[in-house]
Amino acid sequence: MKTYIAKRTLLFIPTMFLVTVAVFVIMRIVPGDPALMILGEGEEGAADNLTVEKLEKLRAKLGTDRPIYVQYGSWVGNMFKGDLGQSYFYEGKPEVTFYLKDRIPTTVELTLMSLVLASIVAVPLGVLSAIKQDSVSDYAARIITLLGIALPNFWVAVMTIFFLVLLFQWAPPLAYEKVWDNPWTNFQQLIFPAIALGTSNMAFIARITRSAMLEVLREDYIRTARSKGLAERVVVYRHALRNALLPVVTLFGFELGRLISGTVIIETIFLVPGMGKLLIDSIGNRDYPMIQAVVLMIAITVLVMNLFADLLYAWLDPRIRYS
Amino acid sequence: MSLDRGSDSVQAGGRVEVEPGVFATLRPKRTVWQSIRFFATRKPLGTFGAVVAIILVLVAASADLAPHDPYRTNVATGDQYSNPSAEYWFGTDHLARDVFSRIVHGARVSLYVGVLSALMGSSIGLVVGVASVQLGGKVDLVVQRFVDAMMAFPGLILAIAIMSALGASVNNVIIALTVAFIPSTARIVRSQSLAITEMDYVLAARAVGAGNTRIMLKHIIPNIFALYLVVFTFYIGGAIISEAGLSFLGVGSPIDTPSWGGMLSGATRQYISLAPWLAVFPGLAIFVVVFAWNVLGDALRDVLDPRLRGTD
């Protein structure tokens, strides 16, 4: 167990290094020179005033005049100092970390809300489906999950807004309230995005719960529990569900990836000022340092959560003896 | 596991001649039609998926028969936001373009992106996964760290990052999705080919002197093919939904391209209460097609490779 933890944690370091390389390389396949782009894209006629001195000055300011490995080195070096770079777009306060600190809590809140909502619906649905296998309710639950997985979350979101407008004249609010400023308004603002975000995850979790429950219910210890004369409720919840939830935990990292992908879309539609909306806005602004920082933060989060899920799994399931 | 594969390595030098009738006692040979009927009765939902997939191909192939030009804007006539009618079956959008014709042409974009990126992503992943196991040792270790790193990016995020660098175009979407599909395929294929490498028939092949290349081509890849086909089918659905998502966000297909995802963004979202058909029909198209590929993938998985079958 200890060797497993050590091994798993050590593997994290080279992976982390490769993640930074990957982000850096993707952002460097941008065709053209960012300095030229910034100067050329200003107000009308900006391209005419373009001088070599101006260009070189901006290149020096952005650091793009240095060799590529020096750029990578200073980027990673600054990262350890808590500096993720300077935004090309926000001139008044260009530190990328300032915007990340502002946006991350919102996305975390939205993700957690949607995960909780999805689990509340999905786990009972999966259990019901498994204990009543091949009944009408099982088929109904399976059809719901099959449909839920194929429903594109952006369509769910667009249609949710449509019905909210139709029924309540509700529209995504322009001013977002933070949870510590105004919890009730914040809840009202996030509940619909959370539902739209959680639909496909709900379906997915229900499906996994069902198949895990079906497998566990065939185990010998369930037969033993039943033959001891335990109430069916105790057998299902104490004995079966506890073990069936293990694979659900392992898939947590994978689920998180799907949820984060989803937040990009949901935040854009519902105008929630989180990381996802920041990413899409930054693409519109061609703010490459910001895109780079957001993508890196997402990858790090997924890596850390995967590590956490693996360790949790090893700890939860004593049957597993890792060598 | 089929018995007729790998039997050539049992005797050194030359094939083992087996009477064709030998296997007939194990599994009756079916004609193509019998196989299709068998699939249709055993997997009705999968058959539905296959039918929708075939319809999608037919629609994409005959998109030029659509009643209107999907690009032609017609603002001058004042036909913007027309209700669905005999002239415009699914209504018109903010530029008075025919929504039905755009959906029909969108099938072409979806299928083109779906099939090409799924094919390239799963094929490159297959090669990487199999080669990683065959070369083994340090190569495997290094390749797997790369796979780990790439898998830290949620698929859509990786695609968005690549698209932000490459710029919006249909072919760039294919590149972005291909890259996003490679790591997970490589991981699945690797674990499967590790299992196959341990099989007795591979050991037997090695014992009679078969080299890495021969084992890879004659034993591992044929035995992974079912898995490959299932992954490929699922990825088509995944690619179609991702292309729609990227175009919806404005980082996928260019804005005037008739793409199902793109049709849901922009003016559609602004004027949804005025013209709900703009959101309903493209969304339904994505949903039905993705659902179809998913259930087809499920059914193929159950039929082709019972080891992959879940209890659902």
Side-chain angles (χ1 to χ4, degrees):
Chain A
M1 180 80 187
K2 262 185 193 152
T3 26
Y4 172 72
I5 294 176
K7 250 181 157 174
R8 182 67 185 77
T9 317
L10 268 180
L11 273 183
F12 181 76
I13 298 165
T15 311
M16 192 67 238
F17 163 71
L18 287 173
V19 163
T20 60
V21 173
V23 172
F24 190 78
V25 168
I26 292 170
M27 286 301 122
R28 289 303 175 288
I29 51 179
V30 185
D33 178 354
L36 193 65
M37 218 171 57
I38 292 172
L39 287 178
E41 274 201 348
E43 60 270 32
E44 277 306 304
D48 304 333
N49 303 330
L50 198 63
T51 59
V52 179
E53 292 89 73
K54 264 193 190 167
L55 203 59
E56 273 170 1
K57 225 174 112 190
L58 189 62
R59 277 190 192 136
K61 194 183 146 207
L62 298 176
T64 47
D65 55 341
R66 298 168 302 170
I68 195 112
Y69 58 91
V70 178
Q71 290 182 38
Y72 173 76
S74 82
W75 179 56
V76 173
N78 286 337
M79 219 184 287
F80 282 109
K81 292 183 228 150
D83 172 15
L84 282 169
Q86 309 279 313
S87 161
Y88 287 177
F89 183 74
Y90 299 101
E91 284 180 350
K93 200 158 177 50
E95 292 83 15
V96 163
T97 42
F98 170 78
Y99 298 92
L100 293 183
K101 271 184 204 149
D102 184 50
R103 303 295 190 101
I104 289 174
T106 309
T107 299
V108 170
E109 194 195 342
L110 177 63
T111 313
L112 283 180
M113 238 170 119
S114 125
L115 199 61
V116 169
L117 279 173
S119 311
I120 289 175
V121 181
V123 172
L125 195 68
V127 171
L128 181 83
S129 200
I131 55 180
K132 302 221 154 129
Q133 193 187 1
D134 293 328
S135 69
V136 178
S137 46
D138 178 31
Y139 279 112
R142 282 164 75 183
I143 289 172
I144 293 174
T145 55
L146 267 177
L147 296 180
I149 289 173
L151 270 179
N153 52 11
F154 46 91
W155 193 45
V156 174
V158 168
M159 294 317 280
T160 307
I161 292 190
F162 172 57
F163 284 109
L164 289 174
V165 172
L166 206 69
L167 299 175
F168 307 112
Q169 278 79 47
W170 184 93
L174 292 173
Y176 175 78
E177 296 279 349
K178 288 211 160 68
V179 64
W180 43 84
D181 294 336
N182 198 338
W184 176 235
T185 318
N186 173 271
F187 178 79
Q188 286 175 310
Q189 287 178 337
L190 285 188
I191 184 75
F192 294 116
I195 291 172
L197 178 60
T199 316
S200 71
N201 288 75
M202 186 274 285
F204 192 74
I205 298 174
R207 198 176 173 173
I208 306 276
T209 311
R210 178 179 180 273
S211 51
M213 272 302 272
L214 281 178
E215 229 158 75
V216 170
L217 283 172
R218 289 189 195 128
E219 296 277 347
D220 288 340
Y221 60 81
I222 297 295
R223 197 177 310 132
T224 310
R226 281 195 180 130
S227 57
K228 280 197 302 189
L230 289 182
E232 186 63 20
R233 198 171 47 84
V234 179
V235 176
V236 169
Y237 288 100
R238 279 278 172 74
H239 295 246
L241 184 60
R242 273 184 145 190
N243 289 297
L245 283 180
L246 276 174
V248 181
V249 173
T250 356
L251 280 165
F252 178 72
F254 174 69
E255 278 296 283
L256 191 83
R258 280 163 55 104
L259 276 171
I260 292 180
S261 293
T263 57
V264 175
I265 287 169
I266 299 297
E267 287 176 4
T268 309
I269 300 175
F270 284 92
L271 306 175
V272 176
M275 293 276 279
K277 188 157 188 310
L278 182 65
L279 178 63
I280 295 302
D281 290 346
S282 303
I283 291 174
N285 298 335
R286 293 176 176 245
D287 192 351
Y288 294 109
M290 192 72 94
I291 303 174
Q292 187 168 301
V294 172
V295 172
L296 182 72
M297 288 311 292
I298 291 173
I300 293 177
T301 312
V302 173
L303 266 187
V304 172
M305 284 299 159
N306 273 334
L307 175 69
F308 182 70
D310 278 4
L311 297 182
L312 188 69
Y313 189 58
W315 180 67
L316 279 178
D317 196 341
R319 284 173 303 183
I320 296 167
R321 290 277 172 271
Y322 294 97
S323 52
Chain B
M1 192 68 44
S2 81
L3 289 167
D4 47 353
R5 286 177 195 142
S7 53
D8 57 337
S9 51
V10 175
Q11 253 178 21
R15 293 186 72 87
V16 177
E17 291 303 324
V18 180
E19 289 293 316
V22 168
F23 293 114
T25 54
L26 296 174
R27 199 177 68 180
K29 197 101 185 125
R30 293 195 203 95
T31 64
V32 177
W33 281 112
Q34 278 172 327
S35 305
I36 291 174
R37 255 193 28 214
F38 180 74
F39 185 82
T41 46
R42 283 262 310 274
K43 297 280 163 200
L45 210 52
T47 310
F48 165 79
V51 170
V52 172
I54 292 169
I55 293 175
L56 179 71
V57 173
L58 292 179
V59 168
S62 55
D64 291 328
L65 301 177
H68 295 274
D69 179 352
Y71 292 97
R72 194 204 58 195
T73 60
N74 219 342
V75 185
T77 58
D79 273 351
Q80 296 106 302
Y81 302 113
S82 300
N83 286 320
S85 63
E87 171 76 6
Y88 303 113
W89 296 353
F90 290 172
T92 61
D93 67 4
H94 64 294
L95 297 174
R97 294 174 300 194
D98 180 37
V99 173
F100 178 76
S101 304
R102 285 180 73 74
I103 287 182
V104 167
H105 279 266
R108 209 172 252 190
V109 176
S110 284
L111 199 66
Y112 175 66
V113 171
V115 170
L116 267 187
S117 57
L119 184 69
M120 294 201 298
S122 53
S123 303
I124 299 173
L126 175 82
V127 172
V128 172
V130 171
S132 184
V133 169
Q134 283 305 298
L135 298 173
K138 279 190 185 126
V139 178
D140 186 36
L141 193 73
V142 172
V143 170
Q144 288 316 308
R145 294 295 74 71
F146 270 104
V147 171
D148 275 346
M150 293 311 277
M151 283 180 81
F153 301 94
L156 191 70
I157 302 290
L158 186 60
I160 288 175
I162 295 173
M163 289 307 292
S164 79
L166 294 179
S169 97
V170 176
N171 287 333
N172 287 349
V173 173
I174 294 176
I175 296 175
L177 293 180
T178 300
V179 174
F181 285 145
I182 294 172
S184 50
T185 323
R187 184 52 53 84
I188 303 170
V189 166
R190 178 180 177 269
S191 65
Q192 195 80 352
S193 48
L194 265 179
I196 293 172
T197 316
E198 302 290 309
M199 295 275 174
D200 287 343
Y201 58 83
V202 174
L203 193 69
R206 261 195 215 292
V208 295
N212 271 346
T213 322
R214 185 178 172 80
I215 286 177
M216 218 151 49
L217 294 179
K218 280 271 179 187
H219 300 283
I220 295 185
I221 290 184
N223 281 307
I224 284 182
F225 196 70
L227 174 75
Y228 170 79
L229 206 63
V230 172
V231 167
F232 171 63
T233 311
F234 276 120
Y235 281 175
I236 293 179
I240 289 176
I241 210 168
S242 304
E243 186 276 332
L246 290 171
S247 302
F248 176 81
L249 290 170
V251 293
S253 310
I255 215 154
D256 58 334
T257 312
S259 148
W260 294 343
M263 290 171 75
L264 284 172
S265 65
T268 301
R269 268 157 62 202
Q270 254 166 38
Y271 297 102
I272 184 161
S273 45
L274 183 72
W277 57 86
L278 288 181
V280 170
F281 294 115
L284 267 181
I286 302 168
F287 171 57
V288 171
V289 165
V290 171
F291 178 76
W293 284 109
N294 282 353
V295 290
L296 179 62
D298 279 344
L300 278 181
R301 181 191 55 195
D302 289 357
V303 171
L304 287 178
D305 200 342
R307 286 167 304 167
L308 306 171
R309 192 181 302 161
T311 33
D312 51 0

